Amino acid sequence: MSKLQPARGTRDLFGEDMRRMQKVIDTFRQTGLAYGFEDLATPIFEFTEVFKRPLGDASDIVSKEMYTFTDRGGEEVTLRPEFTAGVCRAFISNGMQQNLPCRLMSHGPVFRYERPQKGRYRQFHQINAELLGPADPEADVDMLAFAWRILKTLGISKDVVLHLNTLGDVESRAAYRDALVTYFSAHKDKLSEDSQRRLTTNPLRILDSKDEGDRVLVADAPNMSQFLNEASLDFFNRVKAGLEAVGVPYVHDERLVRGLDYYTHTAFEFVTSQLGAQGTVLAGGRYDGLIAQLGGPATAGIGWAGGIERLSMLLAEDPGTPRGTIVLPMGDAATVKAFAVAEALRDAGHLVTQDRSGNLGKRLTRAAKANARYAVILGDSELEKGVAVVKDLDSGDQREVALAELAASLEA
RNA sequence: GCGGGUGUAGCUCAGUCGGUUAGAGCGCCAGAUUGUGGCUCUGGAGGUCGCCGGUUCGAUUCCGGUCACUCGCCCCA
């Protein structure tokens, strides 16, 4: 094993891993186009403030997971730990409120300093979608239908359950938070060490604690639904009705909360049981106050992010590479002529490689291993006749074809 | 950040109760088969046994540290 390792929690992506991830990205983009989304690429680093303010100083991401450094000009910058804050910053910077609604899709690497595990890396990749402008619950339904269609297209929807909850509007959420703090404070000595900390950092998180002692207390804790005001309740009911109308299955999970401060109303996670502790595969929610908080015009928003590595691990099989044609020139004259033959095939839309080394048997072996569909054998004797031998690598059949008819004789 | 497991060939793994040349399967290369693959047979290349240190006459093996991966917690995609 070489001493040259990639930095902890990072890895090189190639071969099957890369193909699987690329399939997730391709499916995401194709589906996004069908829902009217446009591509957006924001920088992978921003001024630290862009992430610090919306995520909240108390969040783990800000307090201990960000790759933050001072650049040579003395600026405090941070490698993005998520997409939403940067997308909202771009929305403000570019005056996109002139053009609502904004449907923006992005994908790429994000960075968090965490202890790596399977499905959890320090540099990982997300697909991300944000819908800015609409404040109606039907917009949430649209976003969930979009996500669900990706999972269906990837063939992994059967492995995933949508957990849905509402955090209510700012007023409801604050009231609930106060009630939880009051309730849990009365039992503080019985809470786990982690949850005692959460009491100040993020009390909602106590609700999904895995500690058995905590769970006993949680069972009798007040429910969010008791604290929803009329508007929040109506909002959530319309989201649920919409999901039923559009045919996206879900479970209402009262204990689902989100770690980030900017969420309001709808919160959701698509969860799988197949990735151990890293079961959340795509998640998001509504964040109506975020853009204003960043200093932009008050604009509603809802979005989600999916972990490309995690999604790609659920794919049943290697997507493979497209099958093509391989041109095998035998002899000096053929080697020169092969370029014109290959280019003409590419002009006609074929996928073409050449193999010039080794004897014919060697080359056919490699062609079979590369899963090529056809071999075009071009020897000096064929050249004299203006033909090539086309070998079907599945059936083994082969025949001579005039060079002018070569492209038409191959199935695309 | 906390607790546990693992680290031997490109891959999956045996093995050495501390002792001379560390093995298998798959993969790779070559030949049998001078321009016809996927099968078969034969041969070959490839390892400072993760790294550093300690104990020992001697360490891949025991001990410590470290790095990486991995399981759970935390957190999250």
Side-chain angles (χ1 to χ4, degrees), chain A residues 302-387:
Chain A
I302 176 164
W304 50 249
I308 297 176
E309 283 86 351
R310 292 182 186 179
L311 289 165
S312 70
M313 281 189 281
L314 294 180
L315 258 33
E317 54 187 30
D318 183 349
T321 49
R323 304 188 68 191
T325 297
I326 187 156
V327 175
L328 308 178
M330 311 298 295
D332 292 343
T335 296
V336 173
K337 178 68 177 173
F339 285 100
V341 170
E343 289 299 333
L345 288 173
R346 293 185 185 113
D347 287 342
H350 291 99
L351 310 175
V352 184
T353 55
Q354 294 194 56
D355 186 345
R356 298 178 208 92
S357 66
N359 61 34
L360 185 55
K362 189 75 37 200
R363 300 193 211 186
L364 286 169
T365 301
R366 279 195 293 260
K369 183 172 303 180
N371 197 30
R373 181 73 182 83
Y374 298 103
V376 172
I377 302 164
L378 192 63
D380 289 340
S381 57
E382 283 85 11
L383 260 191
E384 285 171 22
K385 293 192 283 181
V387 301

Coordinates of all heavy atoms in Angstrom, one line a residue, chain A residues 302-387:
Chain A
I302 N -38.0 27.3 -0.4 CA -38.0 25.9 0.1 C -37.0 25.1 -0.7 O -36.8 25.4 -1.9 CB -39.4 25.2 0.0 CG1 -39.3 23.8 0.4 CG2 -40.0 25.4 -1.4 CD1 -40.6 23.1 0.7
G303 N -36.3 24.2 -0.1 CA -35.3 23.5 -0.9 C -34.9 22.2 -0.2 O -35.4 21.9 0.9
W304 N -34.1 21.4 -0.9 CA -33.6 20.2 -0.4 C -32.2 19.9 -0.9 O -31.8 20.5 -2.0 CB -34.5 19.0 -0.6 CG -35.1 18.8 -2.0 CD1 -36.3 18.9 -2.4 CD2 -34.3 18.3 -3.1 NE1 -36.5 18.6 -3.7 CE2 -35.3 18.2 -4.2 CE3 -33.0 17.9 -3.3 CZ2 -34.9 17.7 -5.4 CZ3 -32.6 17.4 -4.6 CH2 -33.6 17.3 -5.6
A305 N -31.5 19.0 -0.2 CA -30.2 18.5 -0.7 C -30.2 17.0 -0.6 O -30.8 16.5 0.3 CB -29.1 19.2 0.1
G306 N -29.5 16.4 -1.6 CA -29.4 14.9 -1.5 C -27.9 14.6 -1.5 O -27.1 15.2 -2.2
G307 N -27.6 13.6 -0.8 CA -26.2 13.1 -0.7 C -25.9 12.2 -1.9 O -26.5 11.1 -2.0
I308 N -25.0 12.6 -2.8 CA -24.8 11.9 -4.1 C -24.2 10.5 -3.7 O -24.6 9.5 -4.3 CB -23.9 12.7 -5.1 CG1 -24.7 13.9 -5.5 CG2 -23.6 11.8 -6.3 CD1 -23.9 14.8 -6.4
E309 N -23.2 10.5 -2.8 CA -22.6 9.2 -2.5 C -23.6 8.2 -1.9 O -23.6 7.1 -2.2 CB -21.5 9.4 -1.4 CG -20.2 10.0 -2.0 CD -20.2 11.5 -2.1 OE1 -21.2 12.1 -1.9 OE2 -19.1 12.1 -2.4
R310 N -24.4 8.7 -1.0 CA -25.4 7.9 -0.4 C -26.4 7.4 -1.4 O -26.8 6.2 -1.4 CB -26.1 8.6 0.8 CG -25.2 8.9 1.9 CD -25.9 9.6 3.1 NE -24.9 10.0 4.1 CZ -25.2 10.6 5.2 NH1 -26.5 11.0 5.5 NH2 -24.3 10.9 6.1
L311 N -26.9 8.3 -2.2 CA -27.9 7.8 -3.3 C -27.2 6.8 -4.2 O -27.9 5.8 -4.5 CB -28.4 9.0 -4.1 CG -29.3 10.0 -3.3 CD1 -29.4 11.3 -4.0 CD2 -30.7 9.4 -3.1
S312 N -26.0 7.1 -4.6 CA -25.4 6.2 -5.5 C -25.1 4.8 -4.9 O -25.1 3.8 -5.6 CB -24.1 6.8 -6.1 OG -23.1 6.8 -5.1
M313 N -24.9 4.7 -3.6 CA -24.7 3.4 -3.0 C -26.0 2.6 -3.0 O -25.9 1.4 -2.8 CB -24.2 3.6 -1.5 CG -22.8 4.0 -1.5 SD -22.1 3.9 0.2 CE -22.7 5.5 0.8
L314 N -27.1 3.2 -3.1 CA -28.4 2.5 -3.2 C -28.7 1.9 -4.6 O -29.6 1.1 -4.7 CB -29.6 3.4 -2.7 CG -29.5 3.8 -1.3 CD1 -30.8 4.7 -1.0 CD2 -29.5 2.6 -0.3
L315 N -28.0 2.4 -5.6 CA -28.2 2.0 -6.9 C -28.0 0.5 -7.0 O -27.0 0.0 -6.5 CB -27.3 2.7 -7.9 CG -27.8 3.8 -8.8 CD1 -28.9 4.6 -8.1 CD2 -26.7 4.7 -9.2
A316 N -28.9 -0.3 -7.7 CA -28.8 -1.7 -7.6 C -27.5 -2.2 -8.4 O -27.0 -3.2 -8.0 CB -30.0 -2.3 -8.3
E317 N -27.2 -1.5 -9.4 CA -26.0 -2.0 -10.2 C -25.2 -0.9 -10.8 O -25.6 0.2 -10.9 CB -26.5 -3.0 -11.3 CG -27.6 -2.3 -12.2 CD -28.2 -3.3 -13.2 OE1 -28.3 -4.5 -12.8 OE2 -28.5 -2.9 -14.3
D318 N -24.0 -1.3 -11.2 CA -23.1 -0.4 -12.0 C -23.8 0.1 -13.2 O -24.2 -0.8 -14.0 CB -21.9 -1.2 -12.3 CG -20.8 -0.3 -13.0 OD1 -21.1 0.8 -13.4 OD2 -19.7 -0.8 -13.2
P319 N -24.0 1.4 -13.4 CA -24.7 1.9 -14.6 C -23.9 1.5 -15.9 O -24.5 1.5 -17.0 CB -24.7 3.4 -14.4 CG -24.5 3.6 -13.0 CD -23.7 2.5 -12.5
G320 N -22.6 1.2 -15.8 CA -21.9 0.8 -17.0 C -21.6 2.0 -17.9 O -21.9 3.1 -17.6
T321 N -20.9 1.7 -19.0 CA -20.6 2.7 -19.9 C -21.3 2.4 -21.2 O -21.6 1.2 -21.5 CB -19.1 2.7 -20.2 OG1 -18.6 1.4 -20.5 CG2 -18.3 3.3 -19.0
P322 N -21.6 3.4 -22.0 CA -22.3 3.1 -23.3 C -21.4 2.3 -24.2 O -20.2 2.4 -24.2 CB -22.5 4.5 -23.9 CG -21.6 5.5 -23.1 CD -21.3 4.8 -21.8
R323 N -22.0 1.4 -25.0 CA -21.3 0.5 -25.8 C -21.0 1.2 -27.1 O -21.8 1.9 -27.7 CB -22.1 -0.8 -26.1 CG -22.6 -1.5 -24.8 CD -23.2 -2.8 -25.1 NE -22.3 -3.7 -25.7 CZ -22.6 -4.9 -26.2 NH1 -23.9 -5.2 -26.3 NH2 -21.7 -5.7 -26.7
G324 N -19.8 0.9 -27.6 CA -19.3 1.6 -28.8 C -18.7 0.7 -29.8 O -18.8 -0.5 -29.7
T325 N -18.0 1.3 -30.7 CA -17.3 0.6 -31.8 C -15.8 0.8 -31.6 O -15.4 1.9 -31.2 CB -17.7 1.2 -33.1 OG1 -19.1 0.9 -33.3 CG2 -17.0 0.5 -34.3
I326 N -15.0 -0.2 -31.9 CA -13.6 -0.1 -31.8 C -12.9 -0.3 -33.1 O -13.3 -1.3 -33.8 CB -13.0 -0.9 -30.6 CG1 -11.5 -0.7 -30.4 CG2 -13.2 -2.4 -30.9 CD1 -11.1 -1.0 -29.0
V327 N -12.1 0.6 -33.6 CA -11.5 0.5 -34.9 C -10.1 -0.1 -34.7 O -9.3 0.4 -33.8 CB -11.4 1.8 -35.6 CG1 -10.6 1.7 -36.9 CG2 -12.8 2.4 -35.8
L328 N -9.8 -1.2 -35.4 CA -8.5 -1.9 -35.3 C -7.7 -1.9 -36.6 O -7.9 -2.7 -37.4 CB -8.8 -3.4 -34.9 CG -9.7 -3.6 -33.7 CD1 -9.9 -5.1 -33.4 CD2 -9.2 -2.9 -32.4
P329 N -6.8 -0.9 -36.7 CA -6.0 -0.8 -37.9 C -4.9 -1.8 -37.8 O -4.2 -1.9 -36.8 CB -5.5 0.6 -37.9 CG -5.6 1.0 -36.5 CD -6.6 0.2 -35.8
M330 N -4.7 -2.6 -38.9 CA -3.6 -3.6 -39.0 C -2.7 -3.2 -40.1 O -3.0 -3.3 -41.3 CB -4.1 -5.0 -39.3 CG -5.3 -5.4 -38.4 SD -4.9 -5.5 -36.6 CE -3.7 -6.8 -36.6
G331 N -1.5 -2.6 -39.8 CA -0.6 -2.2 -40.8 C -0.4 -0.7 -40.9 O -1.3 0.0 -40.5
D332 N 0.7 -0.3 -41.5 CA 1.0 1.1 -41.5 C 0.0 2.0 -42.2 O -0.5 3.0 -41.8 CB 2.4 1.4 -42.1 CG 3.5 0.8 -41.1 OD1 3.1 0.5 -40.0 OD2 4.6 0.6 -41.6
A333 N -0.4 1.5 -43.5 CA -1.3 2.3 -44.3 C -2.7 2.4 -43.5 O -3.3 3.5 -43.5 CB -1.5 1.7 -45.6
A334 N -3.1 1.3 -43.0 CA -4.4 1.3 -42.3 C -4.4 2.2 -41.0 O -5.4 2.8 -40.7 CB -4.7 -0.2 -41.9
T335 N -3.2 2.2 -40.4 CA -3.1 3.1 -39.2 C -3.4 4.5 -39.5 O -4.1 5.2 -38.8 CB -1.7 2.9 -38.6 OG1 -1.6 1.6 -38.1 CG2 -1.6 3.9 -37.4
V336 N -2.9 5.0 -40.7 CA -3.2 6.3 -41.1 C -4.7 6.5 -41.5 O -5.3 7.4 -41.1 CB -2.3 6.7 -42.3 CG1 -2.6 8.1 -42.8 CG2 -0.8 6.7 -41.8
K337 N -5.1 5.6 -42.3 CA -6.5 5.6 -42.8 C -7.5 5.5 -41.7 O -8.6 6.1 -41.8 CB -6.7 4.5 -43.8 CG -8.1 4.4 -44.4 CD -8.4 5.6 -45.3 CE -9.8 5.4 -45.9 NZ -10.2 6.6 -46.7
A338 N -7.2 4.9 -40.6 CA -8.1 4.6 -39.5 C -8.7 5.9 -38.9 O -9.8 5.9 -38.4 CB -7.5 3.8 -38.4
F339 N -7.8 7.0 -38.9 CA -8.3 8.2 -38.3 C -9.5 8.7 -39.1 O -10.5 9.2 -38.5 CB -7.2 9.3 -38.3 CG -6.2 9.0 -37.2 CD1 -5.0 8.4 -37.6 CD2 -6.5 9.3 -35.9 CE1 -4.0 8.1 -36.6 CE2 -5.5 9.1 -34.9 CZ -4.3 8.5 -35.3
A340 N -9.5 8.7 -40.4 CA -10.6 9.2 -41.2 C -11.8 8.3 -41.0 O -12.9 8.8 -40.9 CB -10.2 9.2 -42.7
V341 N -11.6 7.0 -40.9 CA -12.7 6.1 -40.7 C -13.4 6.4 -39.3 O -14.6 6.5 -39.2 CB -12.2 4.6 -40.7 CG1 -13.3 3.6 -40.3 CG2 -11.7 4.3 -42.2
A342 N -12.5 6.5 -38.3 CA -13.1 6.8 -37.0 C -13.8 8.1 -36.9 O -14.9 8.2 -36.3 CB -11.9 6.8 -35.9
E343 N -13.2 9.1 -37.5 CA -13.9 10.4 -37.5 C -15.2 10.4 -38.2 O -16.2 11.0 -37.8 CB -13.0 11.5 -38.1 CG -11.8 11.9 -37.2 CD -12.2 12.4 -35.9 OE1 -13.2 13.0 -35.7 OE2 -11.4 12.2 -34.9
A344 N -15.3 9.7 -39.3 CA -16.5 9.6 -40.1 C -17.6 8.9 -39.3 O -18.8 9.3 -39.3 CB -16.3 8.9 -41.4
L345 N -17.2 7.9 -38.5 CA -18.2 7.2 -37.7 C -18.7 8.1 -36.6 O -19.9 8.1 -36.2 CB -17.5 5.9 -37.1 CG -17.3 4.8 -38.0 CD1 -16.5 3.6 -37.4 CD2 -18.7 4.2 -38.5
R346 N -17.8 8.9 -36.0 CA -18.2 9.9 -35.0 C -19.1 10.9 -35.5 O -20.1 11.3 -34.9 CB -17.0 10.5 -34.3 CG -16.1 9.5 -33.5 CD -15.0 10.2 -32.8 NE -14.1 9.2 -32.1 CZ -12.8 9.0 -32.5 NH1 -12.3 9.7 -33.5 NH2 -12.1 8.1 -31.9
D347 N -18.8 11.3 -36.8 CA -19.7 12.3 -37.4 C -21.1 11.7 -37.5 O -22.1 12.5 -37.4 CB -19.2 12.6 -38.9 CG -18.0 13.5 -38.9 OD1 -17.7 14.1 -37.8 OD2 -17.3 13.5 -39.9
A348 N -21.2 10.4 -37.7 CA -22.5 9.8 -37.8 C -23.1 9.5 -36.4 O -24.2 8.8 -36.3 CB -22.4 8.5 -38.6
G349 N -22.4 9.9 -35.4 CA -23.0 9.7 -34.0 C -22.6 8.5 -33.3 O -23.1 8.2 -32.2
H350 N -21.6 7.7 -33.8 CA -21.1 6.5 -33.1 C -20.1 6.9 -32.1 O -19.4 7.9 -32.2 CB -20.6 5.5 -34.1 CG -21.6 4.9 -35.0 ND1 -21.9 5.4 -36.3 CD2 -22.5 3.9 -34.8 CE1 -22.9 4.7 -36.8 NE2 -23.3 3.8 -35.9
L351 N -20.0 6.0 -31.1 CA -18.9 6.2 -30.1 C -17.8 5.3 -30.5 O -17.9 4.1 -30.6 CB -19.5 5.7 -28.7 CG -20.8 6.3 -28.3 CD1 -21.3 5.6 -27.0 CD2 -20.7 7.8 -28.1
V352 N -16.6 5.9 -30.7 CA -15.5 5.2 -31.4 C -14.2 5.3 -30.6 O -13.8 6.5 -30.2 CB -15.3 5.7 -32.8 CG1 -14.3 4.9 -33.5 CG2 -16.7 5.7 -33.6
T353 N -13.5 4.2 -30.4 CA -12.1 4.3 -30.0 C -11.3 3.5 -31.0 O -11.8 2.8 -31.8 CB -12.0 3.6 -28.6 OG1 -12.5 2.3 -28.6 CG2 -12.7 4.4 -27.5
Q354 N -10.0 3.7 -30.8 CA -9.1 2.9 -31.7 C -8.2 2.1 -30.8 O -7.9 2.5 -29.6 CB -8.2 3.8 -32.6 CG -9.0 4.6 -33.6 CD -8.0 5.2 -34.6 OE1 -7.2 4.5 -35.2 NE2 -8.1 6.5 -34.8
D355 N -7.7 1.0 -31.3 CA -6.7 0.2 -30.6 C -5.6 -0.2 -31.6 O -5.9 -1.0 -32.5 CB -7.3 -1.0 -29.9 CG -6.3 -1.8 -29.0 OD1 -5.1 -1.5 -29.1 OD2 -6.8 -2.6 -28.2
R356 N -4.4 0.3 -31.4 CA -3.3 0.0 -32.4 C -2.3 -0.9 -31.9 O -1.3 -1.2 -32.6 CB -2.7 1.4 -32.7 CG -3.6 2.4 -33.3 CD -2.8 3.7 -33.6 NE -3.7 4.8 -33.6 CZ -4.0 5.5 -32.5 NH1 -3.4 5.2 -31.4 NH2 -4.9 6.4 -32.5
S357 N -2.4 -1.4 -30.6 CA -1.2 -2.2 -30.1 C -1.5 -3.6 -30.0 O -2.6 -4.0 -29.5 CB -0.7 -1.6 -28.8 OG -1.7 -1.7 -27.8
G358 N -0.5 -4.5 -30.3 CA -0.7 -5.9 -30.1 C -1.3 -6.6 -31.4 O -1.7 -5.9 -32.3
N359 N -1.3 -7.9 -31.3 CA -1.8 -8.6 -32.4 C -3.4 -8.6 -32.3 O -3.9 -8.1 -31.4 CB -1.3 -10.1 -32.5 CG -1.7 -10.8 -31.2 OD1 -2.7 -10.6 -30.6 ND2 -0.8 -11.7 -30.8
L360 N -4.0 -9.1 -33.4 CA -5.5 -9.0 -33.5 C -6.2 -9.6 -32.3 O -7.1 -9.1 -31.8 CB -5.9 -9.5 -34.8 CG -7.4 -9.4 -35.1 CD1 -7.8 -7.9 -35.0 CD2 -7.8 -9.9 -36.5
G361 N -5.6 -10.8 -31.9 CA -6.3 -11.5 -30.8 C -6.3 -10.7 -29.5 O -7.3 -10.6 -28.8
K362 N -5.1 -10.1 -29.3 CA -5.0 -9.2 -28.1 C -6.0 -8.1 -28.1 O -6.6 -7.7 -27.1 CB -3.6 -8.7 -28.1 CG -3.1 -7.9 -26.9 CD -2.8 -8.8 -25.7 CE -2.2 -10.1 -26.1 NZ -2.4 -11.1 -25.0
R363 N -6.1 -7.5 -29.3 CA -7.0 -6.3 -29.4 C -8.5 -6.7 -29.3 O -9.3 -6.0 -28.7 CB -6.8 -5.7 -30.8 CG -5.4 -5.2 -31.0 CD -5.4 -4.3 -32.2 NE -4.0 -4.3 -32.9 CZ -3.7 -3.6 -33.9 NH1 -4.6 -2.7 -34.3 NH2 -2.5 -3.7 -34.4
L364 N -8.8 -7.9 -29.8 CA -10.2 -8.4 -29.6 C -10.5 -8.7 -28.2 O -11.6 -8.5 -27.7 CB -10.5 -9.6 -30.5 CG -10.6 -9.2 -32.0 CD1 -10.6 -10.5 -32.9 CD2 -11.9 -8.4 -32.3
T365 N -9.5 -9.2 -27.5 CA -9.7 -9.5 -26.1 C -10.0 -8.2 -25.3 O -10.9 -8.1 -24.5 CB -8.4 -10.1 -25.5 OG1 -8.1 -11.3 -26.2 CG2 -8.6 -10.4 -24.0
R366 N -9.2 -7.2 -25.6 CA -9.5 -5.9 -24.9 C -10.8 -5.3 -25.3 O -11.5 -4.7 -24.5 CB -8.3 -4.9 -25.3 CG -7.1 -5.1 -24.5 CD -6.2 -3.9 -24.6 NE -5.6 -3.8 -25.9 CZ -4.4 -4.2 -26.3 NH1 -3.6 -4.7 -25.4 NH2 -4.0 -4.0 -27.5
A367 N -11.2 -5.5 -26.6 CA -12.5 -4.9 -27.1 C -13.6 -5.6 -26.3 O -14.6 -4.9 -25.9 CB -12.6 -5.1 -28.6
A368 N -13.5 -6.9 -26.1 CA -14.6 -7.6 -25.4 C -14.6 -7.2 -24.0 O -15.7 -7.0 -23.4 CB -14.3 -9.1 -25.5
K369 N -13.5 -7.0 -23.4 CA -13.4 -6.5 -22.0 C -14.0 -5.1 -21.8 O -14.7 -4.8 -20.8 CB -12.0 -6.6 -21.5 CG -11.9 -6.2 -20.0 CD -10.5 -6.5 -19.5 CE -10.1 -7.9 -19.7 NZ -8.8 -8.2 -19.2
A370 N -13.8 -4.3 -22.8 CA -14.3 -2.9 -22.8 C -15.8 -2.9 -23.1 O -16.4 -1.8 -23.2 CB -13.5 -2.0 -23.7
N371 N -16.4 -4.1 -23.4 CA -17.8 -4.2 -23.7 C -18.2 -3.4 -25.0 O -19.3 -2.8 -25.1 CB -18.7 -3.7 -22.5 CG -20.1 -4.1 -22.6 OD1 -20.4 -5.2 -23.2 ND2 -21.0 -3.3 -22.1
A372 N -17.3 -3.5 -26.0 CA -17.6 -2.8 -27.2 C -18.6 -3.6 -28.0 O -18.7 -4.8 -27.8 CB -16.3 -2.7 -28.1
R373 N -19.4 -3.0 -28.8 CA -20.4 -3.6 -29.6 C -19.9 -4.2 -30.9 O -20.2 -5.3 -31.3 CB -21.5 -2.6 -29.9 CG -22.7 -3.1 -30.6 CD -23.6 -4.0 -29.8 NE -24.7 -4.6 -30.5 CZ -24.6 -5.7 -31.3 NH1 -23.5 -6.3 -31.4 NH2 -25.7 -6.1 -32.0
Y374 N -19.1 -3.4 -31.6 CA -18.5 -3.8 -32.9 C -17.0 -3.6 -32.9 O -16.5 -2.7 -32.3 CB -19.1 -3.0 -34.0 CG -20.6 -3.1 -34.2 CD1 -21.4 -2.1 -33.8 CD2 -21.1 -4.2 -34.9 CE1 -22.8 -2.2 -33.9 CE2 -22.5 -4.3 -35.0 CZ -23.3 -3.3 -34.6 OH -24.7 -3.4 -34.7
A375 N -16.3 -4.4 -33.6 CA -14.9 -4.2 -34.0 C -14.9 -4.0 -35.5 O -15.5 -4.7 -36.3 CB -14.0 -5.4 -33.6
V376 N -14.2 -2.9 -35.9 CA -14.0 -2.6 -37.3 C -12.5 -2.9 -37.6 O -11.7 -2.2 -37.2 CB -14.4 -1.2 -37.7 CG1 -14.0 -0.9 -39.1 CG2 -15.8 -0.9 -37.5
I377 N -12.3 -4.0 -38.3 CA -10.9 -4.5 -38.6 C -10.5 -3.9 -40.0 O -11.2 -4.1 -41.0 CB -10.8 -6.0 -38.6 CG1 -11.3 -6.5 -37.3 CG2 -9.4 -6.4 -38.9 CD1 -11.6 -8.0 -37.2
L378 N -9.4 -3.1 -39.9 CA -9.0 -2.4 -41.1 C -7.6 -2.8 -41.4 O -6.6 -2.3 -40.8 CB -9.1 -0.9 -40.9 CG -9.0 0.0 -42.0 CD1 -10.1 -0.2 -43.0 CD2 -9.0 1.5 -41.5
G379 N -7.4 -3.8 -42.3 CA -6.1 -4.2 -42.7 C -5.7 -3.7 -44.1 O -6.5 -3.2 -44.8
D380 N -4.4 -3.8 -44.4 CA -4.0 -3.3 -45.7 C -4.7 -4.0 -46.8 O -5.0 -3.4 -47.9 CB -2.5 -3.5 -45.8 CG -1.7 -2.5 -44.9 OD1 -2.4 -1.5 -44.5 OD2 -0.6 -2.7 -44.6
S381 N -5.0 -5.3 -46.7 CA -5.7 -6.0 -47.7 C -7.1 -5.5 -47.9 O -7.6 -5.3 -49.0 CB -5.7 -7.5 -47.4 OG -6.4 -7.7 -46.2
E382 N -7.8 -5.1 -46.8 CA -9.1 -4.6 -46.9 C -9.1 -3.2 -47.6 O -9.9 -2.8 -48.4 CB -9.8 -4.4 -45.5 CG -10.3 -5.7 -44.9 CD -9.3 -6.5 -44.2 OE1 -8.2 -6.0 -44.0 OE2 -9.6 -7.7 -43.9
L383 N -8.0 -2.4 -47.1 CA -7.9 -1.1 -47.7 C -7.8 -1.1 -49.2 O -8.5 -0.2 -49.9 CB -6.6 -0.4 -47.2 CG -6.7 0.6 -46.0 CD1 -5.4 1.3 -45.8 CD2 -7.8 1.5 -46.2
E384 N -7.1 -2.0 -49.8 CA -7.0 -2.1 -51.2 C -8.3 -2.3 -51.9 O -8.6 -1.8 -53.0 CB -6.1 -3.3 -51.6 CG -4.6 -3.0 -51.4 CD -3.7 -4.2 -51.6 OE1 -4.2 -5.1 -52.3 OE2 -2.6 -4.3 -51.0
K385 N -9.2 -3.0 -51.2 CA -10.6 -3.2 -51.7 C -11.6 -2.1 -51.3 O -12.7 -2.2 -51.8 CB -11.1 -4.6 -51.3 CG -10.3 -5.7 -51.8 CD -11.0 -7.1 -51.6 CE -10.9 -7.5 -50.1 NZ -11.6 -8.8 -49.9
G386 N -11.1 -1.2 -50.5 CA -12.1 -0.1 -50.0 C -13.1 -0.6 -49.1 O -14.2 -0.1 -49.0
V387 N -12.8 -1.7 -48.3 CA -13.7 -2.2 -47.4 C -13.1 -2.3 -46.0 O -11.9 -2.0 -45.8 CB -14.2 -3.6 -47.8 CG1 -14.8 -3.6 -49.2 CG2 -13.0 -4.6 -47.7

